[in-house]
Amino acid sequence: MEILETLRDELTGFFSINGLVDIIRSGDYSSLRTWKGITTALSPLIPFIVIIEILLAFAHKNFNRSEYKIPFFIYVFNRIIGKFITFGLVAYCVGLFSPYALLPVSLTWYWFIYGYIVWEFAHFIYHFLAHKVRLFWCLHSSHHAPEQMNLSVTYAHFFLEGPYADIIRTSICMLAGVPPVMLFAIMFIDGTWGGFIHVGENFMKDARFGFLGKFILTPSHHRVHHARNPLYMDTNFCNLLNIWDRVFKTYQPEVDNVTIQYGITREINPGNFFDVYFGEFYYLAKDVVNAPGIKNKFLYLFMPPGWHHTGNHKLAKDIRQQYIKSKMETR
């Protein structure tokens, strides 16, 4: 009986429906006029779209169990070992850095726009470093390992990536003066959108969003980000507003004649939990052990993935530039 109760709690926890059920049972819907009530009502959105996406895959007769197995295994694993770490570190950064805020930001609509732009900058910094610093790439690579795109990929993160990301994002936002209440609202909006942009082609075939795609980061942009094609590598780091990708020249729209190939560039078994979750740590440790001298061992930790102490590099930016150059020469 206790096992069934645990399974029920985990299922309702995944769908985030406990709060919504409480509202319905009470018959008092006045809380839906508050921010807490709105977030409670919208939290189940992404998990339910995951189920719809799976059902559509069955309907289209192209459901592949292996696409969902490892992301959900990672979700369960992270629930067990990393449930409270991120929340604790966010609270710690809020308390540590908010007294040093550079600007007195108030809870108004125009300051909210400011706060969101700051948050996107902080997200860009975290995400950029996750691709350009090999140790951080080890934390982030499990999210890029799946070789198909669907909403279950949202849950495929190493358990320490959330704390690493939110230390950077929360610290920058606090120093920029973003009030904690505003920050938590932005986190909810950005987290919901950040889940949705992983929607797969079974649910949404063309995800460019037309005119809106010029201003926001769409599922199409994020599909490009998850691609290992030379043209697409290390692009589209933003989450909702693509302003910082444009500023830092990392913006890349989806190109019709370049079919997206998902996954990471090294040979990997995407159906093996240990390869997906710990594989990059294994290869990093191997390079550190074999590197000559303390300096090179240290550099392997913090140089970009593909860096080699001999100078025989295979960096993503070089591969992309060579590809673009070759295409320009053949025109």
Side-chain angles (χ1 to χ4, degrees):
M1 196 68 180
E2 187 174 336
I3 295 176
L4 292 176
E5 290 178 358
T6 301
L7 289 173
R8 181 200 63 195
D9 292 342
E10 285 298 317
L11 189 62
T12 56
F14 171 73
F15 284 103
S16 305
I17 60 175
N18 285 327
L20 186 58
V21 169
D22 290 341
I23 292 174
I24 294 172
R25 283 177 176 172
S26 69
D28 181 8
Y29 297 97
S30 61
S31 63
L32 295 178
R33 294 196 296 266
T34 67
W35 178 254
K36 182 179 180 181
I38 292 171
T39 57
T40 298
L42 292 180
S43 290
L45 180 63
I46 296 299
F48 274 106
I49 293 179
V50 172
I51 300 303
I52 294 171
E53 189 178 58
I54 291 173
L55 293 174
L56 287 173
F58 273 113
H60 296 153
K61 297 182 179 180
N62 61 359
F63 176 77
N64 186 345
R65 182 174 62 90
S66 63
E67 293 179 22
Y68 295 88
K69 179 181 69 174
I70 295 301
F72 279 121
F73 193 4
I74 291 174
Y75 167 77
V76 173
F77 187 77
N78 289 352
R79 284 273 295 179
I80 296 171
I81 65 174
K83 189 175 181 180
F84 302 108
I85 298 177
T86 298
F87 297 108
L89 285 173
V90 168
Y92 177 78
C93 291
V94 167
L96 181 64
F97 292 110
S98 56
Y100 304 102
L102 299 176
L103 292 173
V105 176
S106 59
L107 297 176
T108 58
W109 66 268
Y110 47 87
W111 278 118
F112 186 85
I113 295 174
Y114 163 81
Y116 216 107
I117 292 173
V118 170
W119 167 266
E120 283 287 3
F121 175 73
H123 180 86
F124 180 94
I125 295 298
Y126 132 69
H127 204 175
F128 183 83
L129 292 176
H131 283 252
K132 298 299 185 180
V133 175
R134 190 166 177 192
L135 182 60
F136 297 154
W137 170 247
C138 290
L139 301 178
H140 189 56
S141 62
S142 60
H143 184 59
H144 280 262
E147 295 185 341
Q148 296 293 330
M149 179 61 80
N150 56 68
L151 281 174
S152 73
V153 176
T154 304
Y155 305 106
H157 287 277
F158 193 81
F159 81 102
L160 289 177
E161 186 182 11
Y164 148 68
D166 283 324
I167 285 174
I168 293 177
R169 296 185 296 199
T170 305
S171 300
I172 291 174
C173 287
M174 289 299 99
L175 290 172
V178 180
V181 172
M182 183 183 291
L183 174 65
F184 296 142
I186 291 170
M187 280 181 164
F188 174 79
I189 296 170
D190 215 57
T192 302
W193 184 258
F196 175 72
I197 57 177
H198 293 88
V199 68
E201 293 183 1
N202 285 320
F203 188 86
M204 185 178 295
K205 187 72 174 176
D206 187 341
R208 290 177 173 87
F209 287 11
F211 178 72
L212 282 177
K214 296 182 180 295
F215 304 100
I216 66 172
L217 190 136
T218 67
S220 171
H221 290 122
H222 204 63
R223 289 171 187 176
V224 166
H225 173 75
H226 274 261
R228 62 174 182 258
N229 309 61
L231 177 63
Y232 294 151
M233 293 172 72
D234 284 6
T235 58
N236 299 346
F237 293 105
C238 291
N239 204 54
L240 174 57
L241 307 176
N242 60 38
I243 178 174
W244 296 111
D245 279 311
R246 294 181 181 276
V247 169
F248 293 111
K249 311 299 183 184
T250 55
Y251 174 75
Q252 174 62 53
E254 184 177 354
V255 179
D256 287 332
N257 62 354
V258 181
T259 303
I260 292 175
Q261 298 173 349
Y262 297 108
I264 60 179
T265 54
R266 75 168 174 87
E267 188 175 340
I268 188 174
N269 181 356
N272 185 302
F273 169 76
F274 292 98
D275 196 9
V276 170
Y277 206 75
F278 297 109
E280 290 299 311
F281 285 102
Y282 167 78
Y283 287 105
L284 172 59
K286 189 175 178 180
D287 284 339
V288 170
V289 169
N290 294 330
I294 297 297
K295 179 182 177 181
N296 285 319
K297 293 181 187 297
F298 184 81
L299 287 174
Y300 269 112
L301 294 174
F302 295 102
M303 293 301 285
W307 180 86
H308 198 271
H309 68 273
T310 63
N312 185 24
H313 307 309
K314 294 182 179 179
L315 305 184
K317 68 172 185 178
D318 297 330
I319 295 171
R320 184 169 188 265
Q321 288 172 359
Q322 289 170 8
Y323 174 85
I324 293 173
K325 183 180 178 181
S326 67
K327 287 298 180 181
M328 291 179 64
E329 289 174 350
T330 56
R331 286 180 180 176

